[in-house]
Amino acid sequence: MADSTFDNMTSLARALSQPKLDLIEANDVHLSRNAQLHPCRRRKLSSCSSFEHVEPITSPCAEARVLVINTGGTIGMTLHDDVLAPKANALVNSLRKLPILHDELYAQQTCLYHYYGSDNTLVLPLSKNNKRIVYNILEYNPLLDSSNMTTDDWGRIGKDIERNYESYDGFVILHGTDTMAYTASALSFMCEHLGKPIILTGSQVPIYEMRNDGRDNLLGALLIAGQFVIPEVCLYFYNKLYRGNRVTKVDAGSFNAFSSPNLPPLATAEVDITINWDTVWRANTTTKFQVSTDLNRNVGLLRLFPGITADTVKAFLQPPMEGVVLETYGSGNAPDNRPDLLEQLKRATDSGVIIMNCTQCLRGTVSTSYATGKVLIDAGLIAGGDMTPEAALSKLSYVLAKKNLDLNAKKKMMSQNLRGEMSADLAGAKLCLTDSRFIQVIAKSLSISCKEELEAIRDALTPPLACAAAKIGDIEALEALKEMGSNLCLGDYDGRTPLHVAASEGHLKLVQYLLRLGATVYAKDRYGDTPLCNAVRFRHKEVVKLLRQTGAHFSRDELEEAGTELCSLAASGDLEALEIWSLAGADMNKPGYDGHTAVQVAQAVGKMEAVAFLAKHMNNKHKTVFGDFNEYDQNDDDESGVIEFTARPSGL
Ligand SMILES: NC(=O)C[C@H](N)C(=O)O
């Protein structure tokens, strides 16, 4: 054992009783990534002051990381002069005192603050699934009542998510409820090729009050963001997770403030958290996540009412207006006996203004069943289907800002379903579950017929079948399973998804196929491994490249541990494996457990080809930029109120 490690072990020995030391040594031998006291965290223990006083935990459990961005809203407000206003720098301290939202003992036992280097780090008690959710709070300055928010604030949230994307498993945005549906809709479009959960939440009563909904809402949002790879911008409120671009605020005086009239919730948090996986929208992409902050502000909402004058409509549609959501009656109707009004609409669309036809009704869709609806199509309006006005408006803002598209392409985009914001045409509906011969046979032998039971059978049987098909690269079998309505992104009993298996076997075409179906590169099996880890382990270079292109990355802990693995590969001169680790995004400068880098090890044992390779692939700066509080210097610019993060090279 190298000296520095020996020193660490010696200090551990001083702090621990002998039996516990045995445990830690045993874990070190296996480099267990599932030990609660993480190997990398153990490495840093000797300098953690609290470690001397608290017994570390060594039982197995996985940790997930969530970034909470606090933008303001009632959840963090207090009364001043009889009115509610956001209170700065109060939330973290208050949460720290709430045992359901922070486990101080665990934080101390695992040297949490020391490891993450931030006072804004908190940790939830152990979840039912044996998971710890560690969360950091990034508080905006100033905190805003959401009525004060603009598109610039949406851009700021988007950019903070983009910057921190690789360092976290999920994101929670604390936000006022008044305009939360607008922000959720806008973010859903701005976040392109999203692969991780982004969940907006807030409350109707401040979290500092005795009876409030803030605690439950925050807890539910954290539990979902940390435990389920739902690659959507969502809104969590009153025990329900909704698709963000489907919600609208319907009640100012109830905890049950939001409704998603045209789409059932993605998840319900009752005795158990149940995810409705069939409803989850997936990006179906092999492109990396990015946030588009270009938004066009020359858009507006116009609500029809009986007797509206043509002059009002004309004034509203004047330049610089470029996009309008016309809120029409019923299933998309407007008076067909008002040529003056229709003429103004037609003039505007002829001059290039995009006008979306959305209904004023809470539930239902725009159709052409009435003459009063058809006149709007003749006037050049685009049917908005069952989109909410909030979604239609932010979609217009997003689409109109696309510089590389002409007007027709923008109109086409507006009529397409981009992020699950509108229901797809039902003409091509998938096969009914009972159409599947396979399910029929099983259902018959088990004498069952009800839909719920059929679905339960399908959901229990198809993940292992899909994994078996993935193992032999059988796309046809996967197609057949898909037609049964099976979700090919779900994991088997070990949490292994078909993508894990295809990546392990190196079936490039199959990996491509699964990614196009929306399989997530962020799925972790019970050992904490992602498809990228599998592809690296089994040396499938092309698969590694494709997964990286899709946005797959090593976790912070994997990157920490990579140094030791690289040193061992360098010692044996294993160029093929070194190349794959480099392609997978490992930092070739990362030192191993004893502080030596791979190139030093290769040099010491005379593996000169490895030395040459490593020298070529080493870079002065850490290639993977974390938006992590550890790896970034935080500059709190008082004047602008903007917190900036600048990258600095990482090191042990
Ligand atoms: N419940 C709330 O959060 C309402 C508050 N006015 C806001 O939107 O910021």
Side-chain angles (χ1 to χ4, degrees):
M1 193 178 288
D3 285 349
S4 59
T5 308
F6 186 77
D7 287 342
N8 280 349
M9 296 305 286
T10 318
S11 53
L12 282 174
R14 237 179 269 127
L16 294 163
S17 60
Q18 193 54 43
K20 292 240 167 52
L21 177 64
D22 291 340
L23 243 181
I24 284 181
E25 277 179 335
N27 277 343
D28 265 341
V29 170
H30 298 296
L31 276 179
S32 161
R33 279 196 284 105
N34 298 314
Q36 222 168 22
L37 194 54
H38 205 279
C40 340
R41 214 180 292 168
R42 282 203 300 275
R43 229 174 281 144
K44 298 189 175 186
L45 278 184
S46 53
S47 52
C48 171
S49 55
S50 63
F51 182 70
E52 300 283 331
H53 314 292
V54 192
E55 288 222 338
I57 305 170
T58 50
S59 64
C61 99
E63 270 181 11
R65 292 192 72 200
V66 174
L67 177 64
V68 177
I69 300 179
N70 181 14
T71 70
T74 297
I75 191 164
M77 289 191 184
T78 51
L79 272 177
H80 297 274
D81 301 331
D82 262 358
V83 292
L84 282 169
K87 185 163 168 63
N89 306 316
L91 189 70
V92 177
N93 285 339
S94 161
L95 297 181
R96 210 182 279 297
K97 290 180 201 133
L98 294 174
I100 58 155
L101 285 161
H102 177 61
D103 185 342
E104 180 60 29
L105 185 64
Y106 176 83
Q108 298 222 2
Q109 284 171 325
T110 61
C111 291
L112 196 79
Y113 309 122
H114 184 74
Y115 181 64
Y116 290 111
S118 165
D119 289 343
N120 293 344
T121 306
L122 298 157
V123 58
L124 289 186
L126 196 61
S127 80
K128 259 187 173 179
N129 300 342
N130 209 26
K131 211 162 192 179
R132 285 281 178 179
I133 293 157
V134 177
Y135 60 108
N136 285 89
I137 300 188
L138 172 59
E139 181 169 307
Y140 281 2
N141 177 15
L143 289 169
L144 292 177
D145 184 303
S146 73
S147 306
N148 288 327
M149 282 189 139
T150 69
T151 49
D152 291 346
D153 298 298
W154 301 345
R156 183 178 176 192
I157 298 170
K159 279 293 155 199
D160 277 332
I161 293 173
E162 189 178 56
R163 203 173 301 144
N164 289 287
Y165 193 68
E166 295 208 347
S167 302
Y168 293 90
D169 298 296
F171 300 84
V172 169
I173 319 290
L174 295 180
H175 194 290
T177 57
D178 289 346
T179 64
M180 199 188 288
Y182 289 90
T183 306
S185 295
L187 283 173
S188 77
F189 298 110
M190 291 160 65
C191 293
E192 298 170 346
H193 316 291
L194 180 62
K196 299 183 180 185
I198 298 175
I199 305 181
L200 286 96
T201 194
S203 71
Q204 297 282 63
V205 175
I207 204 161
Y208 311 115
E209 290 188 16
M210 187 171 75
R211 264 192 77 244
N212 73 80
D213 53 336
R215 289 172 210 166
D216 277 351
N217 287 344
L218 175 58
L219 180 62
L222 283 168
L223 285 170
I224 295 176
Q227 298 188 101
F228 303 99
V229 189
I230 298 173
E232 292 213 45
V233 175
C234 314
L235 187 149
Y236 182 83
F237 226 84
Y238 200 57
N239 304 328
K240 290 200 169 59
L241 184 80
Y242 303 104
R243 177 169 303 151
N245 56 35
R246 290 294 195 142
V247 285
T248 190
K249 184 170 174 180
V250 289
D251 201 328
S254 158
F255 286 164
N256 195 4
F258 288 91
S259 170
S260 169
N262 288 315
L263 189 82
L266 302 177
T268 43
E270 289 172 348
V271 174
D272 290 312
I273 296 176
T274 311
I275 312 291
N276 186 0
W277 287 112
D278 287 347
T279 310
V280 171
W281 176 262
R282 294 166 191 284
N284 305 355
T285 180
T286 50
T287 312
K288 253 190 188 155
F289 170 71
Q290 63 173 35
V291 178
S292 167
T293 51
D294 287 340
L295 295 167
N296 186 320
R297 289 183 75 160
N298 297 324
V299 293
L301 286 161
L302 178 63
R303 188 176 169 97
L304 271 190
F305 54 90
I308 187 170
T309 66
D311 282 346
T312 302
V313 174
K314 184 179 174 189
F316 195 84
L317 294 171
Q318 287 308 299
M321 195 58 92
E322 291 177 63
V324 169
V325 178
L326 186 70
E327 293 185 53
T328 54
Y329 309 130
S331 50
N333 304 324
D336 64 349
N337 59 358
R338 291 282 309 276
D340 57 335
L341 200 76
L342 294 168
E343 191 196 325
Q344 293 306 328
L345 294 172
K346 176 98 173 66
R347 272 196 194 171
T349 58
D350 283 348
S351 68
V353 179
I354 299 183
I355 310 184
M356 298 301 297
N357 179 4
C358 289
T359 172
Q360 295 176 9
C361 293
L362 199 55
R363 180 170 291 119
T365 187
V366 164
S367 74
T368 48
S369 20
Y370 292 92
T372 46
K374 190 171 170 297
V375 286
L376 291 179
I377 295 188
D378 297 340
L381 272 72
I382 297 172
D386 57 357
M387 259 191 291
T388 61
E390 291 94 327
L393 186 80
S394 54
K395 185 173 175 180
L396 265 176
S397 189
Y398 165 77
V399 169
L400 283 169
K402 295 257 167 229
K403 293 189 188 72
N404 52 349
L405 298 181
D406 64 18
L407 183 64
N408 278 337
K410 287 176 185 169
K411 283 186 176 170
K412 192 169 168 213
M413 221 171 155
M414 283 308 298
S415 63
Q416 283 169 341
N417 179 20
L418 303 181
R419 307 277 192 274
E421 72 280 7
M422 58 203 282
S423 301
D425 189 358
L426 294 176
K430 62 185 176 196
L431 276 176
C432 164
L433 187 58
T434 44
D435 291 344
S436 160
R437 170 112 185 87
F438 172 69
I439 294 289
Q440 271 177 24
V441 170
I442 300 215
K444 202 171 163 203
S445 67
L446 296 175
S447 310
I448 54 165
S449 57
C450 89
K451 184 171 168 277
E452 286 72 22
E453 283 177 330
L454 286 175
E455 278 176 356
I457 290 183
R458 178 196 65 189
D459 293 347
L461 289 181
T462 54
L465 285 176
C467 285
K471 165 101 179 142
I472 53 169
D474 189 344
I475 293 188
E476 265 178 43
L478 287 169
E479 251 324 280
L481 288 169
K482 185 165 74 81
E483 278 182 6
M484 273 162 45
S486 311
N487 184 340
L488 298 184
C489 307
L490 295 185
D492 68 3
Y493 42 84
D494 272 340
R496 293 187 58 71
T497 63
L499 188 62
H500 277 101
V501 178
S504 299
E505 299 304 321
H507 296 313
L508 184 64
K509 281 226 167 75
L510 190 51
V511 170
Q512 225 149 12
Y513 167 82
L514 290 165
L515 291 174
R516 294 243 159 78
L517 283 184
T520 174
V521 295
Y522 304 109
K524 286 185 185 159
D525 65 17
R526 70 179 299 183
Y527 312 102
D529 286 340
T530 58
L532 179 67
C533 298
N534 290 171
V536 169
R537 179 151 315 282
F538 296 105
R539 303 180 180 222
H540 300 302
K541 204 159 110 182
E542 295 308 314
V543 174
V544 168
K545 282 191 202 161
L546 178 59
L547 293 172
R548 288 284 289 159
Q549 180 194 316
T550 311
H553 56 81
F554 283 135
S555 70
R556 172 199 173 100
D557 292 332
E558 283 155 0
L559 284 168
E560 285 278 348
E561 286 171 26
T564 301
E565 184 75 31
L566 292 174
C567 287
S568 129
L569 296 171
S572 55
D574 190 340
L575 283 181
E576 186 199 20
L578 284 172
E579 190 192 351
I580 288 174
W581 277 82
S582 167
L583 282 173
D587 173 11
M588 307 308 270
N589 286 335
K590 196 86 195 161
Y593 65 88
D594 64 352
H596 291 116
T597 60
V599 73
Q600 289 170 327
V601 172
Q603 205 143 28
V605 295
K607 299 283 182 195
M608 298 324 282
E609 269 186 279
V611 172
F613 174 87
L614 286 161
K616 202 167 133 206
H617 289 83
M618 268 166 49
N619 32 7
N620 293 334
K621 284 206 166 188
H622 193 327
K623 234 184 181 174
T624 307
V625 177
F626 280 112
D628 196 74
F629 300 110
N630 238 7
E631 254 94 357
Y632 280 76
D633 288 326
Q634 190 171 331
N635 310 319
D636 201 338
D637 176 345
D638 279 347
E639 264 176 61
S640 66
V642 174
I643 300 172
E644 282 182 358
F645 296 93
T646 41
R648 62 178 160 79
S650 74
L652 274 179

